[in-house]
Amino acid sequence: MGRSAGSCVTPHVSIIPRDPGQPATRSIRRKPLERRPGDADRGRSGLRLVISRSAPGDHDPDLPPAPANAAGEPKRARRVLLMLASGGLLAAAFACDIVTGSEVASSLFYVIAILFGAWFVGDRMGRVLAALSVVCWWMAYEITSKPNPSSTGAPHASTLYWNLLVELSIYLIVAVAVAQARLYLERLRSTAQQLSIARDALDKETRAVGDLQREMLPHETPSVPGYAWETAYITSTRAGGDYYDFLRAPDGRVGIVVADASGHGAPAAVLMAMLRVLLHSEPVPSGSPERLLARVNGQLAGTLAPGRFVTACIAWLEPVSGRIVYSLAGHPPPWIVRGGAHRAERLDASGGPPLGLFGDAHYERGEALLWPGDTLVFHTDGLTEAMGPTRELYGESRLARSLAMADGQDLFSMRSALLASVDRHRAGAALSDDLSLLLIRRASGHDVGGPELD
């Protein structure tokens, strides 16, 4: 139809509120426009747009019916087939009961149908089959019973009723027990699946914590002329509590930090992160490891949960002289392998208690000298406490022998030989604690690492 110039068709939009509690769906309906006064004069017709919100199950006569959800059809069909199979087994048991003359042993035939129905269909089907089995047993008894001419009469009716009651009790117990067993197994499977999902999620989170923790470790060793460095970091779980770091001072000294947070996994990794933040939060007192330990201890004391602490070793190395100043906070002392002497010396345990236990703890310092060709070895207790299959510790004596035997090798080979010795002692047993290892060698005149420094 024609329309006058300048006129326009304005669609009518209506919002139909949904029923509270029902998820909203959005549909668009087009209906013929209702003729209103003036429409005939303007000579126009059109469509009215209706935007509605409807709840599932609402029917719009203007729209074709939505296709039925057939998601439950296969399950319903399978249930019907299982019920028919249960009825077939019951009929077969009834036939066997009649053929065998309704003997006492024939009652076991009905148990097969009850077991099948209760297991595959459910507890209600099992109870129904139990009742029907009693009826079938009674019918088989009536059909197959033959009067005995020598007997004075049929058994008393109460005997038959007691037999029926006993049969019903047995069948019901079987049905309930089978249904409960199936329900228990389904719950076990569901619990196992939930545990598997939770374990995977926890493992994923722990891996993420471990990756983040490794990102906090130094990506490279210090570049100091005349010195070679090697490190090893092995965690007993996805995330560990060991930590090592390097500090640089304006006067050229190099600080070495090796620490071990109590515990394993994510809690120990958090402690390690706290220690790293505290070490880098303020200017480092160069050449005074005992002051640095006292400062960090005062910051940790009173903030850690009971039973949580950190052991640490902080050492300052003067590259030109080879002088080492160190202090320990409940940490294993470092070792020096004297070049060419095939001997490992354990430094004195100068220091104090672990960090975070006592706020007013006092720390001592120790000193040593690294000659050209000597190797300075730092480690955490995960190395000496590595256990073999018989739970025997690796120990300091084995460590001393391994270090002495590795004397003369390049630094990487010494590191590899030491780790291989620990692996042989473990003989496949898992690490009981995180393991960290730092080796620092002052080069001698014939080493490739750099010129001899006096």
Side-chain angles (χ1 to χ4, degrees):
M1 298 178 60
R3 59 178 180 175
S4 59
S7 63
C8 64
V9 178
T10 304
H12 176 72
V13 179
S14 63
I15 304 297
I16 303 174
R18 63 182 176 89
D19 183 18
Q22 295 289 343
T25 59
R26 186 178 180 89
S27 63
I28 300 178
R29 298 184 292 170
R30 294 182 181 271
K31 290 186 176 182
L33 279 174
E34 299 175 359
R35 189 170 298 275
R36 298 172 180 167
D39 286 351
D41 299 334
R42 289 192 298 267
R44 66 185 178 93
S45 64
L47 299 176
R48 181 161 61 98
L49 179 64
V50 178
I51 302 177
S52 66
R53 297 179 180 268
S54 59
D58 293 345
H59 177 64
D60 187 348
D62 298 316
L63 291 176
N69 185 10
E73 291 298 332
K75 185 175 181 180
R76 188 179 299 109
R78 180 176 179 272
R79 182 179 179 87
V80 172
L81 289 177
L82 291 173
M83 293 175 65
L84 292 176
S86 301
L89 290 175
L90 180 60
F94 178 64
C96 292
D97 195 8
I98 294 177
V99 171
T100 56
S102 188
E103 297 178 355
V104 176
S106 302
S107 301
L108 297 176
F109 297 144
Y110 299 104
V111 175
I112 297 176
I114 298 171
L115 287 172
F116 183 88
W119 182 267
F120 291 103
V121 182
D123 179 64
R124 182 179 299 177
M125 186 63 184
R127 294 172 186 268
V128 171
L129 289 172
L132 293 177
S133 296
V134 173
V135 174
C136 292
W137 183 86
W138 191 0
M139 292 173 59
Y141 175 82
E142 294 294 340
I143 294 173
T144 59
S145 61
K146 299 178 181 179
N148 189 349
S150 62
S151 63
T152 57
H156 197 274
S158 60
T159 303
L160 176 61
Y161 296 149
W162 276 112
N163 288 338
L164 289 173
L165 183 60
V166 170
E167 294 290 339
L168 179 61
S169 301
I170 294 174
Y171 294 157
L172 286 176
I173 291 173
V174 170
V176 172
V178 171
Q180 291 296 322
R182 183 196 178 193
L183 180 61
Y184 178 73
L185 289 178
E186 289 179 349
R187 288 177 178 173
L188 282 181
R189 294 192 189 99
S190 177
T191 303
Q193 184 179 7
Q194 294 175 5
L195 288 176
S196 178
I197 295 174
R199 183 177 61 252
D200 293 342
L202 181 61
D203 184 70
K204 183 178 179 180
E205 292 180 0
T206 308
R207 286 178 183 273
V209 172
D211 294 339
L212 180 61
Q213 175 201 22
R214 288 173 178 82
E215 287 297 322
M216 294 182 181
L217 298 176
H219 293 176
E220 57 184 17
T221 57
S223 178
V224 181
Y227 287 84
W229 306 71
E230 285 290 340
T231 64
Y233 185 84
I234 305 173
T235 59
S236 59
T237 58
R238 302 294 188 193
D242 282 5
Y243 172 66
Y244 67 88
D245 204 350
F246 305 108
L247 309 173
R248 298 303 295 261
D251 59 3
R253 296 182 183 182
V254 180
I256 303 148
V257 180
V258 181
D260 182 7
S262 60
H264 310 284
V270 172
L271 275 182
M272 182 271 284
M274 292 175 60
L275 177 63
R276 183 181 186 277
V277 171
L278 293 177
L279 285 174
H280 294 272
S281 62
E282 298 181 17
V284 177
S286 173
S288 301
E290 70 280 6
R291 289 173 52 195
L292 181 55
L293 286 177
R295 190 197 80 188
V296 175
N297 176 72
Q299 293 170 321
L300 286 177
T303 62
L304 301 183
R308 296 289 182 183
F309 57 88
V310 179
T311 68
C313 171
I314 297 180
W316 284 98
L317 170 65
E318 297 178 357
V320 176
S321 64
R323 179 170 173 263
I324 304 164
V325 181
Y326 67 93
S327 183
L328 307 173
H331 199 82
W335 295 71
I336 291 183
V337 182
R338 298 300 179 183
H342 299 283
R343 184 181 76 255
E345 299 177 359
R346 181 175 179 269
L347 300 185
D348 294 335
S350 301
L355 303 176
L357 293 181
F358 311 103
D360 56 349
H362 177 71
Y363 295 91
E364 301 290 341
R365 63 187 292 179
E367 296 186 12
L369 188 61
L370 201 63
W371 294 98
D374 290 351
T375 303
L376 182 62
V377 180
F378 297 88
H379 68 90
T380 57
D381 57 6
L383 191 150
T384 53
E385 294 180 1
M387 291 187 294
T390 60
R391 303 188 65 81
E392 181 184 3
L393 298 181
Y394 184 76
E396 293 185 352
S397 58
R398 283 189 179 88
L399 175 58
R401 288 196 301 269
S402 298
L403 290 174
M405 292 175 59
D407 184 25
Q409 301 178 359
D410 61 87
L411 200 60
F412 178 80
S413 299
M414 174 181 282
R415 166 189 173 276
S416 300
L418 184 57
L419 295 178
S421 174
V422 176
D423 289 341
R424 286 193 300 270
H425 174 75
R426 288 166 50 207
L431 280 175
S432 58
D433 198 0
D434 307 323
L435 187 155
S436 294
L437 179 65
L438 270 73
L439 295 92
I440 305 168
R441 176 173 294 177
R442 185 180 183 186
S444 59
H446 58 274
D447 284 338
V448 182
E452 180 176 352
L453 298 177
D454 296 326

